[in-house]
Amino acid sequence: MSDLLQYILSQQDQFRRARLPSLFSDFTAQRHTNPDGYNANVNIWEEALCRAASAGLILGQDGRARRLSLETGPHLLQKLESPEWGRPLAISAVIVGTQQSKELVLIPNLEEAAGRVVTYLGRYSSHVDRIFTKPMFNSETAAALGIKSGLADKDLTILLKYLQRDRQVLASDGDVIRISRPTEVLLPISKEDRAIASLKSLIKDIEKQVRALEAHIADSREKSRRAVESKNRPSALAALRSKRSGESVLTQRMDTLFQLEQVLNSIQQASDQIAMVRVMNDSAGVLRGLNAKVGSANDVENALENLKEEMGKVEDITSVISEAGQEVNVADENDIDEEFDALLRQKEAAEEEKATESTKQKLAALQKEDKVEEAHLEKLTLSGGETPTIPRATSDSKSSDETSVLESNPLEGGQASSQDSSRPSHGRKNSDQAILET
């Protein structure tokens, strides 16, 4: 079993053992009889192939991983062959256009890779930084996708075509690539772009040479040290000569690299100045148009004088309205005071009426108690027993209330006395005495 099939069977949940007979069978006949089952099998195979390609497990004829496309034909079928179920007989239904083309573009993988590359390259803002040769762009793509090596040549060509034709985020002539800004008009590759790309490529090559020379010098130094320890004079001298030669070449490469970087920095500065001048010219045109709308200085002075005059009118009108409002407020205050006094009188009258009603209720209660006591005393007198002294109240507050009631109602008290005279005098005197004592 190939690594590709082993990955598919282990990573894809849809490839359960119960579904394997259906997935490896020729289910093309189900397109009309069972369209749901047919579409489900096709989607499972497409998802499995896309994930396997993203993992770098689908290799091309050149042995390089194909992440954005795959080569169809017997080579792919051999990689998908199972010892138990054989080759997937309906894989042609999954790989549309097998007979017309030997390449199948994995659209989901292409769209995902394009989005990640555009996001990664968006960190470059200057014109020089956004120009690449094809190998340099492939290195940037590898960094964006998180893979060690770049894309295969066919995958890189597919990605560039998609970004240029469909996404319209870069311009390319096959060798030089320039990333455009979101607000920038996409222009063809110019001679200046090719020169900048060549200069950057040369700097990259010299940097590689410098790293190789530094490694060679370090290795020669180590060889000379070991030769000296082993007392091998010829080997030590040869290693020292090689080290000296490498140091001389390294000095030349470093000088060349320094000069090239200065040239690139000057180009970068000139490019920034061009952009600055373009912005300044645009800004000058904007200011010119705005000043034309504003007019001359005399027009501005006239406008200010007219503004002051109109503001003075507004202040005069506001002052007149404020004075009229104050007079209205004084009249309103008088009406409010009168209404407040009327409310106070109503409140006092209500309180007096409430107090009178309370006094009447207390008098009625006292009269009721007197009638109860008189009835009790008459009953005791008729039975011939001793007349007891019955206290009528146990608190000073009630005595004071009864006294005030008697004083405020002399007629009622007189009437009560006249009524009591018709009853036996002995019991009445004792009860009156008890009432007065309490």
Side-chain angles (χ1 to χ4, degrees):
M1 184 183 297
S2 65
D3 295 339
L4 173 60
L5 183 59
Q6 187 174 1
Y7 173 83
I8 291 175
L9 296 179
S10 61
Q11 298 294 326
Q12 305 298 321
D13 297 336
Q14 295 87 345
F15 279 82
R16 297 184 298 272
R17 185 170 184 81
R19 287 191 58 86
L20 292 180
S22 175
L23 291 172
F24 279 84
S25 65
D26 186 6
F27 53 82
T28 55
Q30 299 179 3
R31 180 180 300 177
H32 303 291
T33 60
N34 184 13
D36 293 337
Y38 172 83
N39 292 328
N41 289 340
V42 170
N43 292 334
I44 290 173
W45 273 112
E46 287 180 351
E47 183 179 357
L49 292 175
C50 288
R51 290 189 178 185
S54 298
L57 294 176
I58 298 181
L59 305 180
Q61 295 290 346
D62 55 357
R64 299 190 64 181
R66 304 293 296 272
R67 300 178 184 273
L68 307 182
S69 62
L70 55 85
E71 296 176 351
T72 61
H75 178 71
L76 178 61
L77 293 176
Q78 183 180 359
K79 294 293 183 181
L80 296 176
E81 185 175 358
S82 170
E84 183 176 358
W85 306 104
R87 295 184 177 184
L89 300 178
I91 196 67
S92 60
V94 180
I95 306 173
V96 180
T98 302
Q99 289 151 18
Q100 289 84 5
S101 173
K102 295 295 182 180
E103 298 291 333
L104 174 66
V105 178
L106 303 175
I107 301 299
N109 292 16
L110 176 60
E111 292 177 346
E112 180 183 0
R116 295 173 64 178
V117 169
V118 170
T119 302
Y120 183 82
L121 296 179
R123 62 196 182 100
Y124 296 122
S125 58
S126 65
H127 179 75
V128 174
D129 292 337
R130 290 182 289 109
I131 296 177
F132 308 93
T133 61
K134 195 171 183 178
M136 292 169 61
F137 182 82
N138 200 8
S139 299
E140 297 289 335
T141 300
L145 299 180
I147 56 179
K148 294 181 180 180
S149 59
L151 296 174
D153 292 338
K154 292 183 178 180
D155 285 350
L156 182 60
T157 302
I158 293 172
L159 178 61
L160 288 173
K161 187 175 182 179
Y162 176 74
L163 292 175
Q164 182 177 8
R165 184 190 64 185
D166 300 326
R167 296 288 296 271
Q168 296 184 356
V169 296
L170 61 80
S172 174
D173 62 356
D175 296 325
V176 178
I177 297 99
R178 185 188 68 247
I179 307 298
S180 64
R181 294 189 180 95
T183 59
E184 187 179 52
V185 178
L186 191 61
L187 299 175
I189 298 297
S190 62
K191 293 181 179 180
E192 291 79 6
D193 296 334
R194 296 187 184 92
I196 293 173
S198 299
L199 181 59
K200 292 178 66 176
S201 178
L202 181 58
I203 290 175
K204 292 288 185 182
D205 292 340
I206 294 179
E207 287 176 347
K208 291 180 182 179
Q209 295 177 15
V210 168
R211 288 193 293 269
L213 288 172
E214 289 175 345
H216 173 73
I217 292 170
D219 183 64
S220 299
R221 186 182 295 110
E222 182 64 21
K223 287 181 179 179
S224 64
R225 186 186 63 79
R226 290 198 300 266
V228 170
E229 290 177 354
S230 62
K231 298 181 179 180
N232 189 344
R233 179 182 174 82
S235 297
L237 292 176
L240 290 174
R241 292 190 187 96
S242 178
K243 182 177 75 69
R244 290 287 182 86
S245 177
E247 291 175 346
S248 177
V249 176
L250 178 62
T251 301
Q252 295 176 2
R253 294 293 183 272
M254 293 294 291
D255 292 340
T256 302
L257 181 62
F258 177 73
Q259 293 175 359
L260 293 176
E261 289 178 344
Q262 280 188 328
V263 173
L264 186 62
N265 291 333
S266 299
I267 294 174
Q268 176 66 62
Q269 185 176 1
S271 177
D272 294 340
Q273 290 174 352
I274 291 173
M276 185 182 301
V277 171
R278 184 183 300 112
V279 171
M280 292 174 65
N281 288 331
D282 294 340
S283 301
V286 172
L287 289 174
R288 189 180 302 109
L290 294 176
N291 289 331
K293 294 179 180 179
V294 171
S296 63
N298 293 330
D299 296 336
V300 175
E301 291 179 356
N302 294 332
L304 291 176
E305 291 179 357
N306 294 333
L307 179 61
K308 291 180 180 179
E309 182 179 355
E310 296 301 326
M311 289 176 65
K313 293 180 181 180
V314 172
E315 293 178 356
D316 295 339
I317 295 172
T318 303
S319 176
V320 172
I321 294 175
S322 300
E323 292 176 357
Q326 291 177 358
E327 295 178 357
V328 174
N329 291 335
V330 171
D332 292 342
E333 289 294 331
N334 295 332
D335 294 339
I336 291 172
D337 291 339
E338 293 178 359
E339 185 175 357
F340 179 72
D341 293 338
L343 291 175
L344 286 178
R345 289 192 296 270
Q346 291 178 4
K347 182 179 180 182
E348 292 174 356
E351 291 177 352
E352 291 178 359
E353 183 179 357
K354 185 177 181 181
T356 303
E357 184 67 24
S358 177
T359 302
K360 290 180 180 179
Q361 291 177 358
K362 290 180 180 179
L363 288 174
L366 289 175
Q367 291 176 359
K368 184 177 181 180
E369 291 178 1
D370 289 341
K371 291 179 181 180
V372 172
E373 291 175 359
E374 290 173 359
H376 182 65
L377 289 174
E378 290 177 358
K379 184 177 181 181
L380 292 176
T381 302
L382 293 175
S383 62
E386 184 180 356
T387 303
T389 302
I390 301 173
R392 295 178 58 187
T394 57
S395 63
D396 295 338
S397 60
K398 188 172 182 181
S399 298
S400 61
D401 291 340
E402 291 174 353
T403 303
S404 62
V405 169
L406 291 174
E407 292 177 355
S408 61
N409 296 277
L411 295 178
E412 293 180 1
Q415 293 175 358
S417 298
S418 63
Q419 292 175 358
D420 292 342
S421 62
S422 62
R423 299 190 183 99
S425 61
H426 180 72
R428 179 62 178 173
K429 289 179 181 179
N430 290 336
S431 79
D432 291 342
Q433 186 179 0
I435 291 173
L436 292 175
E437 286 176 357
T438 59

